[in-house]
Amino acid sequence: WYQRRVHGLNIATRINRGQIDIVNPMQVVFKGRKVGESEAALLVKLGIKPFTYQIEVQAVYDDGNTYGAAVLDITEDDVALAFFTASNQIAALCLEIDFPVAVTVPHSIMGAYKNILSVGIACEKYTWAN
């Protein structure tokens, strides 16, 4: 049986101390190709289980929208970057329209300090202790 299966796959063998040895390394299963009966029987006899099964996502459907599978490759760093970018844009908009929010308070205080400092510098006879 074993000799018939091995020679059916064109694998060079020899008998060494009562055991059948495969002379050269040989690949019998290839990705994307159907595994034949001879290959499967040989792998079972050798105790090799090279098979894995997985789902390959082609697209994502969410709330009426379809997205490519690449949207699943988003990392935590990508999400954090998007959040901080949006936060900075909101802060810039709120500063521009003079709408106070928690994010703009430090900028508003610094701007007020700079205005007061520039008024103090513009006064010729005003001095202060350092």
Side-chain angles (χ1 to χ4, degrees), residues 83-129:
F83 176 78
F84 289 126
T85 301
S87 176
N88 287 338
Q89 290 175 347
I90 290 171
L93 175 67
C94 290
L95 280 171
E96 188 64 31
I97 64 173
D98 290 328
F99 186 77
V101 292
V103 179
T104 62
V105 170
H107 299 284
S108 298
I109 291 172
M110 186 56 101
Y113 174 74
K114 287 179 181 178
N115 289 339
I116 291 171
L117 186 61
S118 64
V119 168
I121 291 174
C123 294
E124 294 177 8
K125 297 186 179 190
Y126 182 77
T127 62
W128 64 88

Side-chain angles (χ1 to χ4, degrees), residues 50-67:
F51 303 104
T52 59
Y53 299 94
Q54 62 185 18
I55 295 175
E56 183 177 331
V57 177
Q58 300 291 323
V60 177
Y61 179 80
D62 180 40
D63 198 27
N65 298 313
T66 305
Y67 306 102

